């Protein structure tokens, strides 16, 4: 969990001051506006007068001589029209700049006039407006998302448990300790804090109700979201029973909680004295507990000091504003029955959002994992999804073109393996699903009520809710959305999204595909809508640091799950990022190449919008056709543009937001032409935008981890040197020579000590059944280890078993219990032990039917193994006999979620189909047509959609010579095709085979359909 930056020593914010050049430019802009707006009409009125005829025009005027006076008056009319157009442009630009309500409207036919007006107004406003005033919606990005208004500056010293007297003079936080006056103020403040100290004792459960910090804050502070103040006041302090508060969601009856000074309510107790009616033992407990309270200096009461308690108070002016509060709802309960409990009485599993940060290392050294990938849950989820698609695509290619489905491909090694493990630990697919479903649901609701999509600048995502920050007021949001701190924030709770009716396929487009993660503050993640930037967004800082930010955003945009279609152009970096998503990412070498491409595309998009009658891509994105139109194009530039290139880029970006084009440029320049939003990345990984009130823990992808991800995509899959051989029919085939992984000794000497059946129902033989409470987790852990014979990192194991997070001590205790359950081999070695890289790996004495199936398939189909047809037939028959059903068919609902990132479920039906095809071919060659039919039918139980099996079944039935049976088989395949493919019917190759084997099948199928 990221710490609030409010706990750090305040860093002076460097704000760009107006220079003498700015004053000069503003003065001349003022003169130009006066001359053009006031001087031109005045001169026309004085020198020309009324230019139009003073009487009603008639045809006789056409016969009059054309004098010099006529020419002057015609020219005056043209000048009056041009002046009127320019004056309208000035009014439009001035209104938009002063009000800050998005981009200004376009004056018809204005062209250069409006561009000139915009430059003059902008130059003039340099003397009267800050940079953030041009995008007021964005200037609130750092504000707290609640209804509380900040008190006076004196509240900057306020800490939990201390009530600030606003009637007293404000104390300068810069005052050094020990100077005159400082000691007296601190003494008075300490005495005031002691007088205001209140305590609360956690109540025992009543029926189904259990006390929680959220409810305590709601009752006694008026806002449940202030539970963090109570938590920070009492964190790690020894309670009467000897334990400590370490998690906000885990509190126990009888504990004492020190409360903030403004707490109120009848069940609160002040510092025990003669006025309090409490028992003697309770008074002693409270006094003892109060002795562990932080001193005033530790609470930040002294000059300028502070800690995390100050950051979570939710009150007062700060250099770093508050983040959206995290609503944990029912998670913050004392109901220990809802959470696994350790044997020592401590709670095992953390609540949502309290996921324990594992011990990680940015360099991936030792057995640590790259921290930057673990800290990017949305990026990790997207990359894992893209990796899974890549592996499945390679698997199908291997199965259909080389017959290599039994070869899993080499497992990643080195830093690629560390990157893969970090992705598995950090990925948050639930958060991606929450964001995607909420946004698509909003689009569907607005479309249904004929309302346009509002422009949003950013989104704040937490474990419990989602805030959208609008560019301007857009009315009341559709239910279940509701208004946030003001009319420019729309909010939805995660629980409401779960009950949101899911839009039908293709009914709602992804409305804001340009959202990209910038970083986190406390528990909230900021996603900036890059396609809504009113100009260029600039990232400043050291070259390596800003490149890490650009790489992270590019990788997330390329793989995210809340976009339908997307174009990402990276300029001057990330050439190999195209491997993550070849259809989304394009690489260009330099800015001139980019300008050539984008000038043409901008013109095409503008024409398309005009022809469609839309004012922006948001309008075109709504409705039934939104999914396939107006996809965003986001441009990320790492190459420093020249002054001329920057001007052209600024001109393109000026109106790009309505076209769905966004520009993010990494620059070392003090001022970049056209930059509307500026961010600075620091050496310590902080992303700052001082004028916008933002400071975040930046999401980054340094070069080492960028290369590791690229290697990961290169290493997985089924490519590799090929080996040639013949199949069971004597036909030459080429097989992928990927790593076949773990194989089993099929001889009598290789009989395993522990055998598990993963295909079909899950059974374990050779081990004592663990007790009822521990059995599900132990069985799931064993299944994960059996599928990953190469080993599983302890942090990956913990993330798989406890997706919401778990403490390190509970993880280690569970692994110890797992090792004890699996036992030892006769040699004395443990059946589960860490390897040289620290990954947990099973010994060869622990085997599953999946291992045996892959080994049998390899023995029977590898051309390098010189086996007789009879031996091959026996091996293939044994392999088909093992395929009793889908993988872990009886797994409980809500568990085994890690299987969604595995390739085995896609590989199993292809491998079984390979075995069935090879066995059927052997039997048909031997004249055993019925045996061939049986082999294919056995394989169809596990792989019912494999087209190769359909075709082999038709050949085998045809070999029996029974025409009626062939017709029945064709009819059955037509029914299966209708169920699987709908109106598309049979695949083309199957139809062609039927034309050859059963020429009249189409007429019979048509007659059957008419009769039906």
């Amino acid at each position: 969990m990221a710490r609030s930056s409010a706990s750090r020593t305040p860093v002076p914010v460097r704000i760009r001051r107006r220079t003498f050049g700015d004053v000069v430019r503003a003065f001349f802009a003022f003169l130009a506006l006066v001359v053009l707006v006031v001087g031109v009409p005045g001169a026309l009125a004085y020198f020309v007068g009324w230019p139009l005829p003073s009487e009603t025009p008639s045809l006789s005027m056409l016969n009059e001589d054309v004098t010099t006076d006529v020419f002057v008056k015609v020219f005056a009319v043209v000048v009056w029209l041009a002046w009127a157009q320019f004056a309208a442009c000035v009014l439009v630009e001035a209104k938009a700049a002063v009000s800050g309500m998005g981009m200004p409207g376009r004056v018809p036919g204005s062209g250069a006039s409006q561009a000139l007006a915009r430059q003059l107004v902008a130059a003039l406003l340099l003397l009267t407006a800050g940079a953030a005033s041009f995008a007021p919606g964005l200037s609130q990005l750092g504000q707290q998302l609640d209804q509380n208004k900040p008190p006076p500056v004196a509240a900057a010293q306020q800490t939990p448990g201390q009530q600030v007297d606003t009637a007293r003079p404000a104390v300068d936080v810069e005052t050094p300790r020990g100077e005159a006056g400082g000691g007296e103020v601190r003494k008075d403040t300490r005495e005031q804090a002691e007088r205001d100290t209140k305590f609360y004792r956690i109540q025992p459960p009543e029926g189904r109700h259990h006390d929680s910090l959220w409810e305590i804050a709601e009752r006694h502070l008026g806002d449940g979201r202030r539970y963090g103040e109570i938590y920070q006041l009492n964190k790690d302090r020894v309670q009467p029973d000897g334990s400590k508060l370490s998690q906000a969601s885990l509190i126990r009856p009888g504990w004492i909680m020190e409360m903030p000074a403004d707490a109120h309510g009848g069940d609160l107790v002040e510092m025990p004295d003669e006025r309090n009616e409490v028992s003697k033992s309770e008074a002693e407990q409270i006094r003892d507990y109060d002795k562990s309270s932080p001193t005033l200096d530790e609470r930040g009461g002294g000059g300028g000091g502070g800690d995390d308690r100050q950051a979570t108070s939710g009150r007062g002016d700060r250099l770093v504003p508050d983040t959206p509060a995290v609503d944990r709802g029912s998670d913050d309960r004392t109901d220990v029955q809802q959470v696994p409990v350790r044997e020592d009485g401590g709670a095992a599993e953390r609540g949502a959002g309290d996921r324990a940060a594992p011990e990680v290392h940015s360099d991936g050294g030792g057995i640590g994992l790259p921290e930057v990938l673990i800290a990017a849950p949305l990026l990790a989820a997207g990359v894992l999804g893209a990796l899974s698609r890549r592996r499945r695509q390679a698997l199908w290619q291997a199965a259909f073109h080389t017959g290599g489905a039994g070869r899993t491909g080499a497992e990643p090694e080195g830093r690629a393996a560390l990157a893969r493990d970090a992705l598995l630990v950090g990925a948050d697919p639930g958060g991606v699903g929450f964001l995607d479903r909420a946004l698509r649901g909003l689009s569907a609701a607005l479309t249904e009520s004929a309302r346009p999509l509002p422009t949003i600048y950013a989104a704040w995502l937490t474990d419990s809710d989602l805030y959208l920050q609008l560019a301007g007021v857009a009315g009341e949001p559709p239910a279940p959305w509701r208004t946030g701190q003001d009319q420019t924030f729309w909010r939805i709770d995660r629980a409401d999204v779960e009950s949101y009716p899911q839009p039908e396929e293709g009914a709602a487009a992804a409305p804001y595909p340009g959202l990209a993660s910038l970083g986190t503050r406390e528990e909230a993640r900021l996603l900036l809508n890059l396609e809504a930037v009113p100009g260029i967004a600039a990232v400043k800082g050291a070259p390596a640091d800003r490149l890490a930010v650009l790489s992270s955003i590019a990788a997330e945009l390329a793989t995210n799950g809340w976009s339908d279609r997307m174009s990402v152009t990276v300029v001057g970096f990330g050439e190999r990022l195209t491997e993550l998503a070849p259809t989304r990412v394009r690489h260009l070498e330099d800015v001139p190449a980019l300008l050539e491409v984008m000038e043409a595309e901008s013109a095409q998009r503008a024409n398309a919008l005009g022809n469609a009658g839309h004012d922006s891509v948001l309008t075109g994105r709504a409705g039934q056709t939104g999914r396939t139109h107006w996809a965003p194009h986001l441009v990320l530039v790492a190459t420093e543009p020249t002054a001329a290139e920057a001007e052209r880029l600024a001109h393109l970006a000026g109106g790009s937001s309505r076209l769905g084009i966004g520009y993010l440029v990494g620059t070392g320049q003090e001022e970049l032409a056209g930059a509307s939003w500026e961010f600075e990345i620091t050496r310590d990984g902080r992303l700052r935008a001082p004028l916008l009130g933002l400071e975040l823990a930046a999401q980054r992808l340094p070069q080492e981890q960028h290369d590791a991800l690229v290697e990961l995509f290169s290493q997985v899959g089924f490519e590799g040197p090929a080996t040639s051989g013949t199949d069971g029919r004597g036909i030459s085939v080429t097989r992928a020579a990927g790593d076949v992984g773990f194989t089993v000794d099929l001889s009598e000497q290789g009989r395993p000590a522990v055998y598990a059946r993963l295909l079909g129902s899950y059974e374990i033989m050779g081990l004592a059944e663990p007790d009822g409470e521990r059995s599900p987790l132990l069985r799931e852990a064993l299944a994960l280890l059996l599928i990953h014979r190469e080993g599983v990192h302890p942090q990956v194991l913990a993330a798989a078993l406890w997706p919401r997070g778990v403490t390190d001590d509970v993880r280690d205790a569970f692994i110890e219990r797992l090792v004890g359950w699996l036992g030892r081999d006769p040699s004395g070695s443990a059946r589960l032990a860490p390897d040289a890289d620290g990954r947990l790996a099973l010994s060869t004495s622990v085997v599953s039917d999946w291992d045996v199936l892959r080994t049998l398939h390899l023995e029977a189909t590898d051309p390098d193994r010189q086996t007789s047809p009879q031996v091959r037939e026996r091996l293939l028959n044994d392999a088909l006999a093992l395929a009793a059903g889908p993988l872990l068919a009886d797994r409980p609902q809500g568990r085994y979620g890690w299987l969604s990132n595995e390739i085995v479920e896609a590989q199993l039906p292809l491998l079984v189909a390979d075995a069935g095809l090879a066995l059927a071919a052997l039997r048909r060659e031997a004249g055993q047509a019925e045996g061939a039919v049986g082999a294919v039918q056995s394989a169809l139980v596990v792989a019912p959609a494999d087209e190769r099996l359909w075709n082999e079944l038709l050949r085998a039935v045809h070999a029996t010579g029974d025409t009626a049976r062939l017709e029945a088989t064709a009819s059955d395949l037509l029914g299966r095709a209708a169920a699987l493919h709908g109106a598309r019917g049979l695949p083309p190759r199957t139809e062609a085979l039927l034309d050859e084997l059963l020429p009249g099948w189409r007429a019979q199928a048509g007659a059957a359909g008419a009769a039906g």
Side-chain angles (χ1 to χ4, degrees):
M1 183 186 303
R3 286 186 180 271
S4 170
S5 56
S7 64
R8 292 184 170 88
T9 302
V11 178
V13 177
R14 183 179 62 82
I15 300 178
R16 180 185 180 276
R17 301 186 180 278
R18 301 179 183 91
T19 64
F20 177 73
D22 293 336
V23 177
V24 172
R25 283 195 294 272
F27 175 72
F28 282 109
F30 175 75
L31 288 182
L33 285 173
V34 170
V35 170
L36 294 174
V37 177
V38 180
V40 169
L44 289 173
Y46 181 80
F47 291 106
V48 179
W50 181 255
L52 299 178
S54 57
E55 58 185 17
T56 304
S58 63
L59 294 176
S60 61
M61 288 184 176
L62 299 177
N63 297 325
E64 295 180 359
D65 295 335
V66 179
T67 63
T68 304
D69 186 57
V70 173
F71 277 112
V72 171
K73 291 191 174 185
V74 170
F75 177 74
V77 170
V78 174
V79 175
W80 272 109
L81 293 176
W83 171 85
Q85 184 188 59
F86 179 77
C89 293
V90 172
L91 292 175
V92 168
E93 294 293 332
K95 178 179 180 297
V98 173
S99 66
M101 299 303 292
M103 290 294 294
R106 296 182 61 188
V107 177
S110 58
S113 296
Q114 188 163 4
L116 175 61
R118 181 177 303 160
Q119 293 178 7
L120 294 175
V121 170
L124 180 62
L125 288 180
L126 281 175
L127 297 181
T128 60
S133 67
F134 292 95
L138 187 68
S139 67
Q140 302 176 17
L141 281 175
Q143 295 185 8
Q144 179 183 355
L145 300 181
D146 60 20
Q147 302 295 337
N148 301 320
K149 297 203 178 278
V153 176
Q157 285 191 304
Q158 180 181 356
T159 59
Q162 172 186 354
Q163 180 67 37
V164 176
D165 184 359
T166 56
R168 295 171 60 90
V171 181
D172 185 1
V173 298
E174 298 286 334
T175 302
R177 298 183 183 183
E179 289 190 3
E184 180 181 353
V185 171
R186 291 174 56 198
K187 179 180 178 182
D188 293 343
T189 308
R190 181 182 294 106
E191 292 175 353
Q192 178 69 26
E194 292 176 353
R195 289 196 301 270
D196 291 338
T197 303
K198 299 181 179 69
F199 299 91
Y200 175 86
R201 186 177 287 275
I202 304 299
Q203 300 300 310
E206 297 180 4
R208 297 179 60 87
H209 178 268
H210 299 262
D211 220 347
S212 70
L213 293 187
W214 178 275
E215 293 174 345
I216 295 169
E218 201 167 50
R219 290 197 305 268
H220 301 296
L221 300 177
D223 187 352
R225 290 174 293 187
R226 292 184 63 190
Y227 78 94
E229 300 177 42
I230 306 174
Y231 172 67
Q232 293 293 350
L233 273 175
N234 298 275
K235 179 182 178 182
D236 295 331
R237 294 170 62 181
V238 178
Q239 292 290 336
D241 62 358
S243 56
K244 297 180 181 180
L245 174 66
S246 60
Q247 302 175 37
S249 58
L250 300 176
I251 57 178
R252 299 181 184 176
W255 280 6
I256 298 171
M257 294 289 116
E258 182 178 340
M259 300 292 289
D262 60 340
H264 56 274
D267 49 355
L268 294 178
V269 177
E270 295 182 358
M271 180 62 70
D273 55 25
E274 62 277 2
R275 297 172 298 172
N276 302 131
E277 297 180 0
V278 297
S279 65
K280 183 178 180 180
S281 61
E282 184 176 2
E284 291 178 354
Q285 289 180 353
I286 293 177
R287 290 192 185 97
D288 291 341
Y289 185 74
D290 184 61
K291 292 177 182 178
S292 66
S293 176
T295 65
L296 184 65
D297 290 344
E298 290 172 341
R299 295 181 187 177
D307 64 3
D308 289 342
R309 297 176 182 84
Q310 185 178 6
T312 58
S313 67
R315 304 277 188 235
D317 295 337
R318 298 189 187 87
L319 294 176
V320 180
D322 289 332
T323 55
V326 179
D327 181 357
R328 298 187 184 281
S330 60
D331 284 344
D332 298 335
R333 298 188 178 274
T334 56
D335 185 1
V336 296
Q337 296 178 356
Q338 296 182 1
V339 185
V341 179
R342 299 198 306 266
E343 293 177 348
D344 61 0
E349 189 171 352
R350 295 177 180 266
D354 287 330
R355 187 168 183 163
E359 183 180 355
V360 292
H361 309 277
S362 59
D363 59 357
I367 63 170
L369 301 177
E371 182 178 6
V372 292
L373 296 179
I374 296 177
L378 304 185
L379 167 63
V383 172
L384 276 180
L387 185 65
S388 179
R389 291 189 294 272
R390 171 73 173 269
R391 297 190 69 185
R392 280 169 168 77
Q393 182 182 16
L395 172 64
W396 280 87
Q397 291 174 348
F400 281 88
H401 298 293
T402 68
R407 299 171 181 264
T408 61
E411 289 294 330
E413 299 176 349
R415 61 182 180 181
L418 290 174
R420 190 264 321 264
D421 289 345
L423 294 174
L424 291 170
V425 173
D428 182 17
V432 173
F434 168 39
L435 177 64
D436 181 50
R437 188 170 179 180
L439 295 179
R440 292 181 193 271
L442 174 64
S443 176
L446 291 173
T447 299
E448 184 177 355
S449 58
R451 293 176 59 186
L453 286 168
T455 299
I456 70 166
Y457 281 148
W460 287 98
L461 179 67
T462 73
D463 287 328
S464 56
D465 47 25
L466 170 67
Y467 287 84
L468 297 183
Q469 189 156 354
L470 279 59
V473 177
E476 289 295 322
W481 290 80
R482 57 185 184 274
T483 304
Q485 72 176 87
D486 57 40
Q487 294 294 319
T488 62
F489 285 91
W490 286 2
R491 174 193 174 192
I492 189 169
D493 291 338
R494 190 162 189 162
D496 293 332
V497 170
E498 295 299 327
S499 60
Y500 217 157
Q502 186 72 20
E504 297 180 2
E505 182 69 23
Y512 304 111
L515 287 169
S517 300
L518 288 188
T520 57
R521 190 170 65 211
E522 295 179 351
E523 295 178 347
R525 181 168 301 276
L526 174 64
L527 293 93
L528 198 64
N529 189 10
L530 293 177
E531 65 172 338
V533 177
I536 293 175
V539 177
K540 299 180 179 180
D545 295 325
R546 63 179 189 250
L547 184 61
V549 173
L550 292 175
S551 295
S552 170
I553 293 175
E556 185 177 281
L557 290 173
T559 60
N560 73 45
W562 55 89
S563 303
D564 294 323
R565 297 172 63 240
M566 169 86 67
S567 295
V568 181
T569 297
V570 292
V571 182
F573 77 104
E575 181 177 2
R576 298 190 64 192
L577 280 177
T578 55
E579 296 188 26
L580 274 63
T583 60
R584 278 194 182 187
V585 183
R586 171 178 58 181
H587 172 264
L588 296 176
E589 290 291 342
D590 50 30
V591 176
L594 172 70
L595 292 172
E596 181 180 355
V597 170
M598 297 311 299
E599 285 173 347
E601 180 172 339
S602 297
Q604 292 173 356
R605 287 196 172 217
N607 291 335
L609 278 177
N611 294 335
H614 300 316
D615 57 354
S616 75
V617 294
L618 287 179
T619 308
R621 216 171 268 161
Q624 295 294 328
T625 61
R627 181 174 296 274
T628 56
H629 293 283
W630 320 116
H633 187 170
L634 303 176
V635 179
L636 311 179
V637 182
T639 302
E640 193 78 59
T642 65
E645 292 168 349
E647 289 291 341
R648 291 175 63 186
L649 203 58
H651 177 72
L652 282 174
S656 63
S657 59
R658 58 182 291 269
L659 304 177
I661 302 175
Y663 294 88
L664 181 64
V665 180
T667 179
Q669 301 179 25
E670 181 67 21
E671 294 185 14
L672 180 67
S676 300
W677 300 350
E678 293 184 351
F679 302 91
E680 180 181 1
I681 178 67
T682 64
R683 289 288 189 180
D684 61 349
R686 308 295 297 178
L687 190 67
R688 294 172 178 162
L691 296 181
L692 305 176
L694 277 175
E695 181 172 346
L696 309 166
Q699 179 172 300
R700 298 169 297 150
L701 187 63
Q703 187 64 43
E704 181 180 1
Q705 302 311 322
H706 166 280
D707 295 341
L709 286 186
V710 173
E711 286 183 18
L712 178 60
F713 275 73
S714 300
Q715 290 183 16
V716 302
F718 299 82
E719 298 83 3
T723 59
S724 300
T726 58
D727 65 2
R729 294 164 291 175
I731 301 175
S732 176
V733 296
T734 302
R735 300 187 182 277
D739 181 12
V740 297
F742 175 75
T743 57
V744 179
D745 182 359
L746 299 176
S747 67
E748 186 64 27
Q749 292 75 19
R751 182 179 296 274
V754 178
Y755 183 74
R757 289 177 179 166
L758 303 180
L759 309 181
S761 298
Y762 187 10
E763 296 182 60
I764 303 174
M765 288 159 279
L767 289 177
E769 184 69 21
D771 61 55
E773 293 182 359
R774 297 174 181 146
S775 177
L777 280 178
L778 290 172
R779 291 167 61 89
E780 185 175 355
L782 179 57
L784 176 63
L785 291 164
L786 285 168
I787 290 174
H788 286 277
R789 300 303 306 226
E790 75 280 3
V792 177
H793 196 287
Q795 293 174 10
V796 175
L797 178 66
L801 299 181
W802 293 280
R804 296 174 63 190
V806 69
T807 57
D808 292 346
D809 56 340
V810 174
R811 178 199 65 200
D812 296 340
F814 174 80
I815 293 175
E816 184 177 351
R817 187 176 299 118
L818 179 61
V819 171
W821 176 54
L822 291 174
R824 295 178 176 273
D825 289 329
S827 62
S829 59
R831 292 176 181 144
L832 177 65
D835 61 12
D837 295 327
R839 289 180 171 83
L840 300 170
L842 293 169
S843 70
T844 57
S845 64
V846 183
V847 173
S848 71
D849 53 355
W850 170 242
D851 298 323
V852 177
L853 176 61
R854 292 181 57 247
T855 303
L856 289 169
H857 179 274
L858 177 66
E859 293 278 353
T861 59
D862 191 345
D864 294 334
R865 300 175 188 265
Q866 302 298 325
T867 56
S868 65
Q870 293 77 17
V871 174
R872 294 183 62 198
E873 181 177 1
R874 177 178 57 80
L875 293 172
L876 292 170
N877 193 56
D878 291 344
L880 286 178
L882 285 175
L887 186 74
L888 299 167
D890 57 353
R891 59 181 180 260
Q893 188 174 5
R895 302 297 310 184
Y896 296 82
W898 46 270
L899 276 174
S900 61
N901 295 319
E902 302 295 339
I903 193 67
V904 60
E905 285 196 294
Q907 189 182 9
L908 173 60
L910 290 175
L911 187 146
V912 172
D914 278 355
L917 291 170
L919 181 58
L922 281 173
R923 289 177 173 174
R924 278 201 298 114
E925 286 184 351
Q928 303 173 14
E930 289 293 342
V933 172
V936 176
Q937 289 176 337
S938 297
L940 280 170
V941 173
V942 178
D946 198 309
E947 178 190 354
R948 299 172 301 162
L949 288 176
W950 293 9
N951 296 345
E952 185 62 26
L953 180 61
L954 290 173
R955 294 189 185 96
V957 173
H958 180 265
T960 64
D962 189 340
T963 304
R965 187 176 180 184
L966 181 60
E967 292 175 351
T969 302
S971 178
D972 179 55
L973 290 183
L974 283 170
R976 292 194 189 196
L980 290 171
H981 306 297
R984 287 182 295 170
L986 291 171
R989 283 179 292 190
T990 304
E991 288 188 350
L993 181 61
L994 275 174
D995 288 336
E996 176 186 349
L997 302 180
L998 191 65
W1001 74 275
R1002 295 181 185 274
Q1004 295 173 2

